[in-house]
Amino acid sequence: MTAYVIKRLFLMIPTLFGVMLITFIVTQFVPGGPVEQLINELKQRHQTGEVATGLQGLYRGATGLDEERLKEIKAFYGFDQPAYKRFMTMMGKYLTLDFGDSYFHHQSVLDLVLSKLPVSISLGLWTFFLTYLTCIPLGVAKAVREGSPFDVVTSTLILIGYAIPGFMLGLTLLVLLGGGSFWDIFPLRGLVSDNWSELGWFDRILDYLWHMVLPITSMMIGSFATMTLLTKNSFLEEIRKQYVLAARAKGLTENTVLYKHIFRNAIIPLVTGFPGAFIGAFFTGSLLIETIFSLDGLGLLSYESILKRDYPVVLGTLYIFTLLGLIAKLLTDISYVLIDPRIQFDSVDQ
């Protein structure tokens, strides 16, 4: 297993390099880069007369920018060097976690990502834990009661929830419960109230949880179906195996058979996905949910960065997410061996 882990770690390097290279190449051909956006902004300001106030002499009407100014702008954004040099310089800095500064937010990419994490962690971790804590017991109950009215009703409800888009549910909840046309029960926006710093510690917790109810409900309603049915099918597959019949023939109780024999085998597909889902929960970003509930998280940051061609943010966050994704996949493979000793990667390599 040690050899397998070392091999996977070495394979991460070309994978990460390839992802960054492809994305970097794509950004070179996408129109509307930061230089073009600045020129368009200067042109619009010139037309409205704003250039004279703060950018005197930079834009010259129909003649545009002179060559010297244009070279200065390109040098400021780093476009005065060949693409391959910029890419190699960027990758060299990324090894030291230096992702540069945002073109438009005027702060380092790492600080910018960290400032958005509270929202994304709140959405991701609550969705992650509540989904696992709800869907696994529900899936077990459905497997034990397969074909019963309970199984049919719950399957219908979770499939209906799966069919409802999260943003549509969020809008509906805001209208019904957020002070729209019906009841004013939950807050409309934000992670906490404006007077949160003035509250006591217990009231702060309650205020935070109260703000999380509607966004979390909107995000997790669609994930119930996948996790619940995966749990149910995994348990049904184990229930029908011979060792279960043998355990029942020995006179063991149903609870003993279920939780001592079936559970530890059926839970393997769910537990092995735990590392990746847990790491991903820290960086979960939902553009529509964040927009609807006025939550400034990673989803909104990524969307705005792509629109503004904020390449340091786009490439820096891509590097972070790709690296964490590769680590999560490795942890998932390792968890297979730790949970199920029958799996041996050494034999697979031979």
Side-chain angles (χ1 to χ4, degrees):
M1 181 174 171
T2 303
Y4 174 80
V5 173
I6 295 175
K7 179 181 177 181
R8 285 290 300 272
L9 289 174
F10 278 108
L11 286 175
M12 286 184 185
I13 299 175
T15 303
L16 184 61
F17 187 88
V19 170
M20 297 304 301
L21 178 61
I22 293 173
T23 307
F24 183 83
I25 292 175
V26 171
T27 59
Q28 304 308 301
F29 296 98
V30 175
V35 176
E36 291 82 359
Q37 290 197 19
L38 179 58
I39 294 175
N40 290 332
E41 181 182 353
L42 294 175
K43 183 178 180 180
Q44 293 175 2
R45 290 189 179 186
H46 176 81
Q47 292 174 352
T48 58
E50 296 181 22
V51 173
T53 59
L55 298 171
Q56 179 69 31
L58 189 61
Y59 189 83
R60 300 181 177 181
T63 60
L65 292 173
D66 57 59
E67 288 296 328
E68 183 178 353
R69 290 289 190 178
L70 187 59
K71 289 180 180 180
E72 291 179 359
I73 294 176
K74 289 183 177 181
F76 175 77
Y77 288 115
F79 290 102
D80 57 329
Q81 297 180 352
Y84 73 92
K85 285 187 177 180
R86 287 188 281 118
F87 177 75
M88 297 307 298
T89 302
M90 179 190 73
M91 293 302 295
K93 292 181 178 180
Y94 282 7
L95 294 177
T96 61
L97 300 182
D98 180 9
F99 303 107
D101 296 331
S102 169
Y103 293 154
F104 299 94
H105 295 277
H106 307 294
Q107 64 180 117
S108 70
V109 174
L110 190 58
D111 291 339
L112 189 60
V113 171
L114 292 177
S115 67
K116 308 296 183 181
L117 272 183
V119 171
S120 298
I121 289 177
S122 297
L123 294 175
L125 285 184
W126 281 115
T127 302
F128 170 78
F129 283 118
L130 290 176
T131 300
Y132 266 79
L133 293 176
T134 304
C135 294
I136 291 180
L138 180 60
V140 174
K142 287 173 62 61
V144 174
R145 299 172 177 84
E146 184 192 17
S148 66
F150 171 80
D151 183 31
V152 175
V153 172
T154 53
S155 295
T156 302
L157 292 177
I158 63 174
L159 290 176
I160 292 175
Y162 182 75
I164 299 176
F167 71 92
M168 183 63 68
L169 178 62
L171 290 173
T172 304
L173 292 176
L174 279 180
V175 172
L176 293 177
L177 305 175
S181 304
F182 297 89
W183 301 282
D184 186 6
I185 300 177
F186 295 99
L188 282 173
R189 60 180 63 86
L191 201 61
V192 293
S193 299
D194 295 335
N195 63 336
W196 187 78
S197 59
E198 303 173 2
L199 302 175
W201 66 270
F202 184 72
D203 291 331
R204 289 185 181 183
I205 296 175
L206 290 180
D207 181 76
Y208 164 74
L209 294 177
W210 206 240
H211 278 76
M212 283 289 98
V213 172
L214 296 186
I216 296 302
T217 302
S218 303
M219 284 194 65
M220 66 183 298
I221 193 69
S223 60
F224 275 158
T226 302
M227 183 62 67
T228 302
L229 294 180
L230 177 62
T231 304
K232 175 188 174 181
N233 294 333
S234 180
F235 272 80
L236 283 177
E237 183 180 355
E238 295 296 324
I239 289 174
R240 294 163 180 166
K241 291 185 176 180
Q242 291 295 325
Y243 75 89
V244 176
L245 297 177
R248 287 171 177 168
K250 292 179 181 179
L252 299 178
T253 63
E254 283 297 320
N255 286 337
T256 302
V257 174
L258 179 62
Y259 294 105
K260 186 177 181 180
H261 297 278
I262 299 175
F263 189 84
R264 63 182 181 182
N265 293 321
I267 206 69
I268 290 177
L270 305 176
V271 176
T272 50
F274 189 92
F278 185 76
I279 293 178
F282 284 90
F283 295 92
T284 296
S286 176
L287 169 63
L288 294 176
I289 298 299
E290 291 178 10
T291 303
I292 291 172
F293 295 98
S294 301
L295 300 172
D296 189 11
L298 290 175
L300 191 59
L301 173 65
S302 301
Y303 177 71
E304 291 179 346
S305 301
I306 294 173
L307 288 183
K308 294 180 179 179
R309 306 295 191 269
D310 198 346
Y311 295 144
V313 177
V314 174
L315 295 172
T317 53
L318 177 67
Y319 181 89
I320 296 174
F321 298 159
T322 304
L323 181 60
L324 290 175
L326 292 172
I327 294 174
K329 290 294 292 181
L330 177 60
L331 293 177
T332 299
D333 291 343
I334 294 175
S335 64
Y336 272 109
V337 178
L338 297 178
I339 296 173
D340 190 353
R342 296 172 296 178
I343 299 177
Q344 296 294 329
F345 288 120
D346 294 338
S347 60
V348 174
D349 294 336
Q350 293 175 355

